[in-house]
Amino acid sequence: MANVLTPQGEDFPRWYQDVVAKAQLAENGPAKGQQVIRPTGFALWERMVDEMDARIKETGTENASFPLLIPESYFRREADHVEGFAPELWTVTHAGGKELEEKLAVRPTSETIIGEYMAKWVKSYRDLPLLLNQWCNVMRYELRTRLFLRSSEFLWQEGHTVHESYEDAHEFTLRILHDVYADFMENVLALPVLRGIKTEAERFAGALNTFAVEALMRDGKALQMGTSHELGQNFARAFDIQFQGKDGQQAHGWTTSWGTSTRMVGGLIMGHGDDSGLRVPPRLAPVQAYVMVVKDSDEVQGAAKQVFDELKSSGLRVKLDHRADVAFGRRAVDAELKGYPVRIEIGPRDLKNGEATLVSRVKGVKETVPLGMLAEAVAAALEGDQQALFDEALERRERLTADAATVDEAVEAAQTGYARLPWDACGVEGEQKAAAAGVTVRVLQREDGSVPDSLDEPGLIAYLARSY
Amino acid sequence: MANVLTPQGEDFPRWYQDVVAKAQLAENGPAKGQQVIRPTGFALWERMVDEMDARIKETGTENASFPLLIPESYFRREADHVEGFAPELWTVTHAGGKELEEKLAVRPTSETIIGEYMAKWVKSYRDLPLLLNQWCNVMRYELRTRLFLRSSEFLWQEGHTVHESYEDAHEFTLRILHDVYADFMENVLALPVLRGIKTEAERFAGALNTFAVEALMRDGKALQMGTSHELGQNFARAFDIQFQGKDGQQAHGWTTSWGTSTRMVGGLIMGHGDDSGLRVPPRLAPVQAYVMVVKDSDEVQGAAKQVFDELKSSGLRVKLDHRADVAFGRRAVDAELKGYPVRIEIGPRDLKNGEATLVSRVKGVKETVPLGMLAEAVAAALEGDQQALFDEALERRERLTADAATVDEAVEAAQTGYARLPWDACGVEGEQKAAAAGVTVRVLQREDGSVPDSLDEPGLIAYLARSY
């Protein structure tokens, strides 16, 4: 089969553009940096939402919905926050043909407007913790945009919580990082992630500490997959979120916020995709098994329908391709492009032997399987491929991670992956020097790989990389 | 128990406001007509989305995501459409601190921007039907707003499809009306709906025909619950959606669009709620069974947890209220307000006899049930209450529907419910006269209650009512 994609080794960014277009994942919108997410791409996001939402609810967090438009004055209440976000705002000035008294910003994130309501709802320690999340769209003005990775509008979830104490808020921030974000990314997306704390330069505007999960893409660049912020009492003070404590005293709450977005679709593409297209991990895949007729005949169509029904009733997500009027080769290439984990080809030759051909997208293995054993064989292939994708990504990350002793060494090593550098040997100055060379500190970890409580801990290790 | 709500009979709009506030469903946002949907209200919407989304997907429709902001020039391409929507637009004029070259409207609906992309994607009859849907937020400037019912921003689904012929598009428009909208509303929301066609005055801006489902609220006013529009070739011409037909000729597609919104939450409240609060139909209910401890003791807490686990593992949506430090009466009133279909009270007295108290919200019946039979009893209560709510709403609608022979009679009858009036005895002039008296034609049906194909059919019956 002819290459429909630019090979990754030739031009990775071009490969990415090709996959997004050819697998019909997304297109540019009419206004700057906006995106149209097509059904194939959106189905990936829908599955992410399902899996993430279940994990978010497990923490006791409830979903809600806050307004799209935020009065500009809200931003000004938290000094760091307004400084960080003011340059990125999209602004509504008119409605119903008239100029508004106060300009409204399309939300770039909702700490401010949610803070305003939290202040009304939180009166007593009995109201805490208050755990909220919303799935919505946000907009940030961007000069250089790339579909899924950096767009003016994107879809995301943003969690916002209030707690009684620093300890409670800190613990919850890390619970989201580990039990929701990292768990979803490693066990469903099959992408190993580095968990750590961000430097001051990379911290969320208005936060005390930002924690993040970062995945390594196949070109050796890092992608921030999600962040969880400890906001201290900064927003509680700015929005007057106070409660009466068990001791009868009024106190400001401790808030957190945390988000993941359609950017994860970009991470999925670049973390697993190969020269034939996407490779979607089975646990995520909207279509786990793709049942195709090879040629047209009543017998083939009947058998394909039967296999489809059988796999569907075994609980798998299955799609039936009965379009015998479209060339088989074209449909097979399209199935590879879209990364369906398992393809089942039903043709007259196999059928004569009571068999079908099973093709694994991850391993590229073709095998003929007796029809009666298909459900089992598909389940085994899916299980194996989920693990194989994770193992491959982990092995790649380990191979592309190098120890460095100086900033210069780290910048050099970061050309192909992660550089591990003692934070003492880097520091804010080293960070600036690396940044000038296009390399940033992605996260800081403890020596043993665990997540530090703050930047003040001694002996931290910095992971530097080029990034998206 | 003291009334926490204004009684419906005293002041229905006030009752509505009270329920929305006291059951913590929603609040006004900071900017005009915006709303904050709180977790209890949002959970109702989430369940609606789940049920509706499954039905939408059953039709072969796929979800996608299109940009929030639409260039103003897009609206001008369809003359009726721009006339209908221009006065309602919220407009973004600046981004990143600079004035935009072209103003962008926050989408009030997405026929235009989706039409632009459909034109790119549709080349051949093989690409048809193209069936798309998106769940998103939209904004329309409104002068008089009411939470859930009429707000500047609301959440909705909007379906957009392209078909090969008038017949295909017509059939699909009605399939959505019947199999998705009416089916969901009657079988899940337990609200009987009138299905019919809208008059020219009530038609969607740019449509050939608008079909609708309407429910009657407990105050005798109608609420439009959903609309399905046959757009003919109007948008296909405006956006150049053309395809090569089986005959090799280029032709314009036939498009449809259809929507339902968070307004349905308002319909649920006013269609079933009573003086004690919401009554949520069991099939919709985010919490079907609410397990409460009456008093605190290890035995009571243990038994409540056991009942909770048992009901949950039987597949029900259950919530456990173990807050013995909040007065039982207050929690019971709150459970009634929020309309949980079944409440299970676990107290020391019942436990001594190996029993618990089961309270049905719909029928108001209290019964003691042996612990071992709770799961069965709850399932039976839920089943019965779903039907009881529907029957009650249907009986009410029949009671509040009167035949009228003249417009004057219809206006009079519409003060308390629906007036059925032959369309020949009404017509456009009669419609205007009724409108001046605050009464509108909600839908037209055939004599036998079925949905007409167009307004040209003879002998149609108009349903007039006051409405939200």
Side-chain angles (χ1 to χ4, degrees):
Chain A
M1 295 171 189
N3 268 344
V4 292
L5 305 175
T6 306
Q8 289 188 339
E10 197 178 305
D11 185 342
F12 197 85
R14 182 77 182 273
W15 168 85
Y16 180 77
Q17 278 192 335
D18 284 358
V19 176
V20 170
K22 299 262 168 76
Q24 305 190 328
L25 303 178
E27 294 190 9
N28 289 312
K32 183 159 186 55
Q34 285 189 312
Q35 56 193 3
V36 171
I37 308 180
R38 302 185 67 176
T40 306
F42 197 78
L44 296 169
W45 175 241
E46 273 185 306
R47 284 284 306 134
M48 292 182 186
V49 172
D50 279 356
E51 294 280 342
M52 289 274 297
D53 194 63
R55 284 168 175 77
I56 289 169
K57 286 185 172 136
E58 270 302 306
T59 68
T61 302
E62 296 182 302
N63 286 335
S65 172
F66 290 84
L68 171 72
L69 303 182
I70 303 179
E72 283 201 340
S73 59
Y74 281 27
F75 288 92
R76 289 192 289 271
R77 293 198 216 160
E78 216 289 335
D80 288 337
H81 195 67
V82 69
E83 196 183 326
F85 282 103
E88 299 186 5
L89 299 182
W90 293 70
T91 315
V92 171
T93 54
H94 291 71
K98 274 178 263 171
E99 190 166 356
L100 297 170
E101 279 176 33
E102 181 174 3
K103 288 179 189 166
L104 302 171
V106 178
R107 63 182 161 221
T109 180
S110 304
E111 279 74 9
T112 61
I113 192 163
I114 295 183
E116 175 81 3
Y117 285 86
M118 285 174 156
K120 292 185 193 184
W121 299 335
V122 171
K123 303 282 175 211
S124 146
Y125 70 89
R126 283 200 180 83
D127 302 322
L128 300 178
L130 175 60
L131 312 174
L132 299 174
N133 179 63
Q134 72 176 350
W135 291 96
C136 64
N137 53 347
V138 290
M139 291 194 73
R140 298 176 186 179
Y141 188 77
E142 298 281 358
L143 284 173
R144 292 172 51 198
T145 64
R146 205 172 328 198
L147 290 167
F148 293 119
L149 297 171
R150 190 172 294 278
S151 48
S152 291
E153 181 186 3
F154 53 92
L155 305 180
W156 80 342
Q157 63 67 216
E158 48 177 322
H160 297 271
T161 68
V162 194
H163 304 263
E164 239 182 294
S165 65
Y166 165 79
E167 290 74 20
D168 287 0
H170 181 72
E171 190 187 351
F172 199 82
T173 308
L174 292 177
R175 181 171 176 195
I176 292 295
L177 193 79
H178 293 298
D179 297 354
V180 178
Y181 292 171
D183 181 73
F184 165 72
M185 291 165 195
E186 301 195 330
N187 294 317
V188 180
L189 289 187
L191 286 171
V193 287
L194 284 184
R195 315 165 189 199
I197 190 168
K198 288 280 184 186
T199 63
E200 204 179 326
E202 302 281 331
R203 187 187 283 163
F204 178 74
L208 208 62
N209 283 308
T210 288
F211 301 92
V213 277
E214 302 262 333
L216 195 64
M217 303 295 98
R218 282 168 63 107
D219 62 349
K221 287 170 79 172
L223 179 70
Q224 177 177 299
M225 294 282 282
T227 47
S228 188
H229 315 294
E230 193 165 46
L231 304 174
Q233 295 182 307
N234 294 345
F235 285 86
R237 285 214 188 82
F239 288 88
D240 202 25
I241 306 173
Q242 288 201 50
F243 67 97
Q244 189 175 45
K246 291 192 186 88
D247 58 3
Q249 300 296 306
Q250 287 294 114
H252 283 104
W254 296 80
T255 69
T256 82
S257 70
W258 28 281
T260 54
S261 73
T262 33
R263 194 162 218 235
M264 290 192 290
V265 178
L268 171 78
I269 299 169
M270 296 193 299
H272 293 308
D274 66 15
D275 286 347
S276 302
L278 282 183
R279 295 190 302 169
V280 184
R283 283 192 206 139
L284 182 81
V287 175
Q288 297 175 303
Y290 189 68
V291 180
M292 305 176 66
V293 300
V294 176
K295 283 186 177 173
D296 206 14
S297 81
D298 287 351
E299 201 194 349
V300 166
Q301 292 286 7
K305 181 66 170 57
Q306 203 176 329
V307 167
F308 169 79
D309 289 340
E310 192 183 321
L311 293 178
K312 199 173 171 185
S313 70
S314 81
L316 295 177
R317 296 183 289 274
V318 199
K319 187 167 176 169
L320 176 61
D321 175 3
H322 55 71
R323 297 169 301 157
D325 59 338
V326 180
F328 173 75
R330 200 174 133 194
R331 290 182 289 131
V333 166
D334 191 58
E336 302 246 301
L337 263 172
K338 291 179 175 158
Y340 305 134
V342 158
R343 197 162 85 219
I344 297 146
E345 304 172 353
I346 314 271
R349 207 173 314 168
D350 285 342
L351 269 189
K352 225 174 261 174
N353 304 325
E355 294 177 332
T357 299
L358 191 158
V359 190
S360 151
R361 175 68 181 86
V362 172
K363 297 185 187 135
V365 178
K366 267 197 181 202
E367 48 178 336
T368 51
V369 177
L371 289 174
M373 295 177 61
L374 260 182
E376 255 172 274
V378 169
L382 294 177
E383 187 70 22
D385 289 357
Q386 179 78 30
Q387 190 62 44
L389 277 175
F390 182 83
D391 291 346
E392 185 186 319
L394 185 61
E395 182 279 324
R396 182 182 315 109
R397 188 182 77 184
E398 282 168 2
R399 186 162 34 85
L400 298 182
T401 300
D403 285 312
T406 66
V407 173
D408 287 337
E409 277 181 35
V411 167
E412 164 107 28
Q415 299 312 307
T416 51
Y418 285 122
R420 288 179 93 246
L421 176 68
W423 180 232
D424 288 342
C426 180
V428 174
E429 269 180 50
E431 191 181 9
Q432 284 167 353
K433 187 177 172 190
V439 169
T440 49
V441 177
R442 306 313 304 159
V443 287
L444 303 176
Q445 288 187 341
R446 294 193 184 119
E447 183 76 50
D448 66 1
S450 63
V451 179
D453 287 322
S454 80
L455 291 172
D456 299 334
E457 291 189 21
L460 297 179
I461 304 295
Y463 278 81
L464 290 88
R466 294 177 307 146
S467 74
Y468 283 94
Chain B
M1 296 172 188
N3 268 343
V4 291
L5 306 174
T6 305
Q8 290 189 338
E10 196 178 306
D11 185 342
F12 196 84
R14 182 76 182 276
W15 168 85
Y16 180 78
Q17 277 190 336
D18 283 357
V19 177
V20 170
K22 300 262 169 76
Q24 305 189 329
L25 303 178
E27 294 189 11
N28 289 311
K32 185 162 185 50
Q34 286 189 313
Q35 57 192 0
V36 171
I37 308 181
R38 301 184 68 177
T40 307
F42 198 78
L44 295 169
W45 175 241
E46 274 186 306
R47 284 285 307 133
M48 292 183 187
V49 172
D50 279 355
E51 293 281 341
M52 289 274 298
D53 194 64
R55 285 167 175 78
I56 289 168
K57 286 185 173 137
E58 269 303 306
T59 69
T61 301
E62 296 181 303
N63 286 335
S65 173
F66 291 84
L68 171 72
L69 302 182
I70 304 179
E72 283 202 339
S73 59
Y74 281 26
F75 288 91
R76 290 193 288 271
R77 294 198 215 160
E78 215 288 336
D80 289 336
H81 194 67
V82 69
E83 196 183 324
F85 282 103
E88 300 185 5
L89 299 181
W90 292 71
T91 315
V92 171
T93 54
H94 290 72
K98 274 180 262 170
E99 188 165 357
L100 297 169
E101 279 177 34
E102 180 174 6
K103 289 178 188 164
L104 302 171
V106 178
R107 65 184 158 218
T109 180
S110 305
E111 279 75 9
T112 60
I113 193 164
I114 295 184
E116 175 82 1
Y117 284 85
M118 284 174 156
K120 292 187 191 180
W121 299 335
V122 170
K123 302 283 175 212
S124 144
Y125 69 91
R126 283 198 182 84
D127 302 322
L128 299 180
L130 176 59
L131 311 175
L132 299 174
N133 179 62
Q134 71 177 350
W135 292 96
C136 65
N137 53 347
V138 290
M139 290 196 73
R140 299 175 185 179
Y141 187 76
E142 298 280 357
L143 285 174
R144 292 172 50 195
T145 62
R146 206 172 328 198
L147 290 166
F148 293 120
L149 297 171
R150 190 172 296 279
S151 48
S152 290
E153 181 185 4
F154 52 91
L155 306 180
W156 80 341
Q157 63 66 217
E158 49 177 321
H160 297 271
T161 69
V162 195
H163 305 264
E164 239 182 295
S165 65
Y166 164 80
E167 289 74 20
D168 287 0
H170 181 70
E171 192 187 351
F172 199 81
T173 308
L174 291 177
R175 182 172 175 194
I176 294 295
L177 193 78
H178 294 299
D179 298 354
V180 178
Y181 292 173
D183 181 73
F184 165 71
M185 291 164 195
E186 300 196 331
N187 294 318
V188 180
L189 289 188
L191 285 171
V193 288
L194 283 182
R195 314 165 189 199
I197 190 168
K198 287 282 184 184
T199 62
E200 206 179 325
E202 302 282 330
R203 189 186 280 162
F204 178 75
L208 210 60
N209 284 307
T210 288
F211 300 92
V213 278
E214 301 263 334
L216 195 64
M217 302 295 99
R218 282 168 62 107
D219 62 348
K221 288 170 80 172
L223 179 70
Q224 178 177 299
M225 295 281 284
T227 48
S228 187
H229 315 293
E230 191 166 48
L231 303 174
Q233 294 181 309
N234 295 345
F235 284 86
R237 286 212 188 83
F239 288 88
D240 204 26
I241 306 173
Q242 288 200 51
F243 68 97
Q244 188 174 46
K246 293 192 185 87
D247 58 4
Q249 302 295 305
Q250 287 293 114
H252 283 103
W254 296 79
T255 67
T256 82
S257 70
W258 27 281
T260 54
S261 73
T262 32
R263 194 161 219 236
M264 290 193 290
V265 178
L268 172 77
I269 299 168
M270 295 193 298
H272 292 310
D274 65 16
D275 286 347
S276 302
L278 281 183
R279 295 191 302 169
V280 184
R283 282 194 206 136
L284 182 80
V287 175
Q288 298 175 303
Y290 188 69
V291 180
M292 305 175 67
V293 300
V294 177
K295 284 186 179 175
D296 207 14
S297 82
D298 287 352
E299 201 194 350
V300 165
Q301 293 285 7
K305 182 65 170 57
Q306 202 176 330
V307 166
F308 169 80
D309 288 341
E310 192 185 321
L311 294 178
K312 200 173 170 186
S313 69
S314 81
L316 295 178
R317 297 184 288 275
V318 199
K319 187 167 176 171
L320 176 61
D321 175 5
H322 54 72
R323 298 169 300 158
D325 58 339
V326 181
F328 173 75
R330 198 174 135 192
R331 290 183 289 131
V333 165
D334 191 58
E336 301 247 301
L337 262 173
K338 290 179 175 157
Y340 304 136
V342 160
R343 197 164 84 219
I344 297 147
E345 303 172 354
I346 313 270
R349 208 174 315 166
D350 285 342
L351 269 189
K352 227 175 262 174
N353 305 323
E355 294 177 331
T357 299
L358 192 159
V359 190
S360 151
R361 175 68 180 86
V362 171
K363 296 185 187 133
V365 178
K366 268 197 180 200
E367 46 177 337
T368 51
V369 177
L371 289 174
M373 294 176 63
L374 259 182
E376 253 173 89
V378 169
L382 293 176
E383 187 71 21
D385 289 357
Q386 179 78 29
Q387 189 63 45
L389 276 175
F390 182 82
D391 291 346
E392 184 187 319
L394 185 59
E395 183 277 325
R396 180 182 318 108
R397 188 181 78 185
E398 283 169 1
R399 185 162 35 85
L400 298 182
T401 300
D403 285 314
T406 67
V407 172
D408 287 337
E409 278 181 34
V411 167
E412 163 108 27
Q415 299 313 307
T416 53
Y418 283 123
R420 289 179 91 246
L421 176 69
W423 180 232
D424 288 343
C426 179
V428 174
E429 269 180 50
E431 192 182 8
Q432 284 166 353
K433 188 178 169 189
V439 169
T440 49
V441 177
R442 305 314 304 161
V443 286
L444 302 177
Q445 288 187 340
R446 292 191 187 123
E447 182 75 49
D448 66 0
S450 64
V451 178
D453 287 324
S454 80
L455 291 173
D456 299 334
E457 290 190 22
L460 296 180
I461 304 295
Y463 278 82
L464 291 88
R466 294 176 307 145
S467 74
Y468 283 94

